[in-house]
Amino acid sequence: MQPILAALADALIFIALSWGIWRALGRSIPLAVVPIVIGLVLAATGSLPAGLGVPSKIGDQIGWIGVLLLAFTAGLETRHSPATPTPELDSRSGSESASEPPHRRSALSLSRFTLSAALALVLPFVVGTVAAYWHFIGLPGWAAPRAPGWLGAVAIGLCVAVSALPVLIGIVRELGSLHRPLTQTAVAIAVVDDAVLWIGLAALLLLADGGAGLAGWSGLDGVAIALPLLLGALGVMAERRGVAPPVALVWLALPVALAACAWASSQLGLHALLGAYFAGAIIPPSWTRRLPLQGMGQFALIGLAPLFFGHSGLRIDGDALGWASLQAAFALLALSVLAKLAALVLCPPSPRFSRRQALAIGALLQCKGLMEIVAATILRDKGLLSEYAFAALVTLAVLSTVLTGPLFRLILRGRAAERRVGYEYS
């Protein structure tokens, strides 16, 4: 089939059909889940005609641009998130807390929040890593090509610990003022954990490389290190000095930062998506507040990225989509949900939150969304996940994302909680 016709068929299946199914379901699940499920079904059944030319080369390129933009906007959202811990939210009731100096209450609030965010990431990571090492990587087909033993287990544990920042931001926008202290606190924790995730991914890729790439480093690699650091320093200076260029120049700066950082991370043997996320994170917050972040995310997710997610599901080995992988996905889902909930109950981000409210925050944070799929794709491409592990983790991402709304409503059951939790985009 002609490339243009193949790309058109690609778009009809993974963009138009996904959109139609999502709307028919009343936007009750995140849009990113739909093309993945379509791809998984087509891969498992083998019902896609070979002559159709799907997945197409043009579709691959469009989808890749879309997921780069998603990683970039996730970085932008990291610095622009409306959710930040505040003394008002985290202050304790009673005469003792009221008598504390404001600076001490703020310090206690920040330390409590930081500890809660750390535990929400570390506990699922440790649980997932240990379970992977002692059980999952011993299953047939689960051994990673380049990550034997603990290294492969760490890759799985990292995916189990993911919280989906873009999905949570979408939920906050949909809920409006309903449960705002809970949803904004969940987003604030996800901002921290999301940043740590990308740093952890970079460290894992460097560790898997074993330093082999350092022996052949050239001057170009030095440029790849210096360029993002220079751009980051310029962003910090611009923010501190209150530099406010025209909006047109801000728009021009975005693709420059994205291209430079994506090239730098690729040159260093990491992954272009890591650079794309970093590029968004170094843009000054005062600049991002002048940008339509929601519209940028919607454009990437609705018009471009479904091709990437659909192709990711389509390219999974059909043999890896059996009952064994589904069982593994449910087991990982149970571990992930229980670990997130336990972390928030053990250390709520604020002493004002009841146990039920802490559990509700944990229900939001267990959502994997598209960030786990992106992370798993990076790890699979680098040989740190097998096809069987990748299939189970993609299924885990779908299940946990679909579970988020119902679980949140179940925990906060009651008149206020019965209001429908929808997904604007995620």
Side-chain angles (χ1 to χ4, degrees):
M1 181 177 286
Q2 293 292 327
I4 297 298
L5 294 178
L8 180 60
D10 221 351
L12 287 174
I13 294 172
F14 294 115
I15 297 179
L17 180 60
S18 296
W19 171 262
I21 293 175
W22 182 61
R23 295 291 296 182
L25 293 173
R27 301 189 303 174
S28 58
I29 62 174
L31 176 60
V33 168
V34 182
I36 298 168
V37 173
I38 292 175
L40 289 173
V41 171
L42 293 175
T45 61
S47 57
L48 190 65
L52 203 57
V54 175
S56 65
K57 186 175 181 180
I58 295 176
D60 273 339
Q61 295 170 343
I62 293 174
W64 177 242
I65 292 173
V67 80
L68 276 177
L69 287 176
L70 282 177
F72 181 63
T73 54
L76 290 173
E77 294 275 18
T78 299
R79 299 285 299 278
H80 186 63
S81 170
T84 53
T86 62
E88 290 79 6
L89 176 63
D90 296 330
S91 59
R92 292 169 291 176
S93 59
S95 59
E96 181 182 353
S97 65
S99 64
E100 291 178 348
H103 70 275
R104 185 180 178 185
R105 293 203 305 269
S106 180
L108 287 172
S109 172
L110 182 59
S111 62
R112 179 70 174 259
F113 171 84
T114 303
L115 181 60
S116 181
L119 189 61
L121 181 67
V122 171
L123 184 58
F125 170 72
V126 171
V127 169
T129 300
V130 172
Y133 182 78
W134 289 107
H135 176 68
F136 291 104
I137 61 174
L139 298 176
W142 275 66
R146 293 184 55 213
W150 279 107
L151 200 59
V154 168
I156 294 173
L158 202 63
C159 292
V160 170
V162 170
S163 293
L165 176 61
V167 173
L168 294 184
I169 291 173
I171 291 174
V172 169
R173 289 180 179 136
E174 280 289 337
L175 290 176
S177 60
L178 186 67
H179 305 307
R180 178 165 289 171
L182 303 181
T183 55
Q184 287 193 336
T185 300
V187 169
I189 294 175
V191 165
V192 177
D193 291 353
D194 208 48
V196 175
L197 162 71
W198 290 98
I199 295 172
L201 271 175
L204 184 58
L205 294 176
L206 290 173
L207 186 62
D209 187 58
L214 297 176
W217 269 27
S218 63
L220 203 58
D221 296 306
V223 173
I225 293 176
L227 186 57
L229 295 177
L230 176 61
L231 292 175
L234 291 175
V236 172
M237 290 177 59
E239 182 68 16
R240 288 181 176 177
R241 297 186 178 183
V243 177
V247 176
L249 289 181
V250 175
W251 279 106
L252 288 175
L254 299 184
V256 173
L258 174 57
C261 293
W263 168 83
S265 59
S266 297
Q267 176 65 30
L268 294 173
L270 300 174
H271 201 285
L273 290 174
L274 295 172
Y277 179 86
F278 182 78
I282 64 176
I283 300 297
S286 59
W287 295 13
T288 62
R289 284 191 287 269
R290 303 164 66 190
L291 300 172
L293 295 186
Q294 182 178 354
M296 293 166 63
Q298 286 178 328
F299 172 72
L301 186 61
I302 295 173
L304 304 175
L307 290 166
F308 173 85
F309 296 117
H311 291 182
S312 296
L314 190 61
R315 289 191 171 116
I316 292 177
D317 186 354
D319 295 334
L321 290 172
W323 175 241
S325 290
L326 189 59
Q327 286 180 309
F330 275 111
L332 288 172
L333 176 66
L335 290 175
S336 173
V337 172
L338 291 175
K340 287 285 187 182
L341 296 180
L344 270 297
V345 170
L346 289 173
C347 184
S350 167
R352 286 188 61 189
F353 290 140
S354 67
R355 178 172 295 182
R356 177 176 291 186
Q357 290 173 320
L359 286 171
I361 295 172
L364 295 176
L365 290 175
Q366 67 80 35
C367 179
K368 306 301 177 193
L370 57 89
M371 299 314 297
E372 189 205 329
I373 297 167
V374 170
T377 300
I378 294 173
L379 293 169
R380 183 194 60 174
D381 291 347
K382 294 298 182 178
L384 303 183
L385 286 178
S386 69
E387 288 294 332
Y388 282 79
F390 179 72
L393 289 170
V394 169
T395 307
L396 166 64
V398 173
L399 293 174
S400 71
T401 306
V402 173
L403 179 65
T404 302
L407 183 59
F408 182 78
R409 292 194 297 269
L410 178 63
I411 292 173
L412 293 179
R413 58 187 179 275
R415 183 175 301 176
E418 287 173 357
R419 179 173 167 177
R420 179 177 172 274
V421 179
Y423 294 86
E424 188 173 289
Y425 75 97
S426 42

